[in-house]
Amino acid sequence: MDQPSRSAGTVRPGGRTARVRAAVMEATQDELVEHGFHGLTMDQVAARAGVGKTTVYRRWGSRAGLVTDLMIELANQSTPHADTGGVEADLRANALSVLEAVNDGRLGATFQAVIAAATSDEQAAGALRAFYVRRIEEWANVVHLAVKRGELPEGTDGAEVIRAISAPLYYRLVVTRELVTEVDAERSVARTLAAARAGAFVVEEP
């Protein structure tokens, strides 16, 4: 996963509908950062966005609907995968982008709030899952390119490689609540790349 914009909904041009959505997405993110998922209310989002409550209820339906749209917006704003010409640099770019995202005061708090919500709300869990599926699929392309260049074995599962890089960083962020550092990111890349080169992520054809 790479880093999307810290503020959702702020870059889309368009008419009034687009402006309303942008304002509501930014307000949703603000409320998540300040109050978490369980403190998120439709009324407060509407007030913060400067739009009518009926508009928010009609279009998004629930706080889970707001979070789902927010995660779509963050995924849309995320940048494409790196393509440096070498797998080690590409994977390092992925790890450092995750590091930057989780350590950003606004964006990191957004992800922590949605991750917490996903433990008790199926719609929030679905929104989070869809976000990461998109980002993992995007970054898996660096592994596919590495296989074509002969840097990794044929059959290496790109998605699993990207998950293996991100997993230790999110474990520290969410489970042990430790500071996640650049040293952690570099170690995750080194260990994952060593395993990938050894064939640990090769999927055998059925």
Side-chain angles (χ1 to χ4, degrees), residues 64 117-129:
T119 64
S120 59
D121 186 281
E122 185 55 39
Q123 194 172 346
L128 187 68
R129 188 181 309 114

Side-chain angles (χ1 to χ4, degrees), residues 67-68 78 85 118 121 157 163 166 185 206:
V67 169
T68 297
S78 298
D121 186 281
D157 188 323
R163 289 189 183 97
S166 298

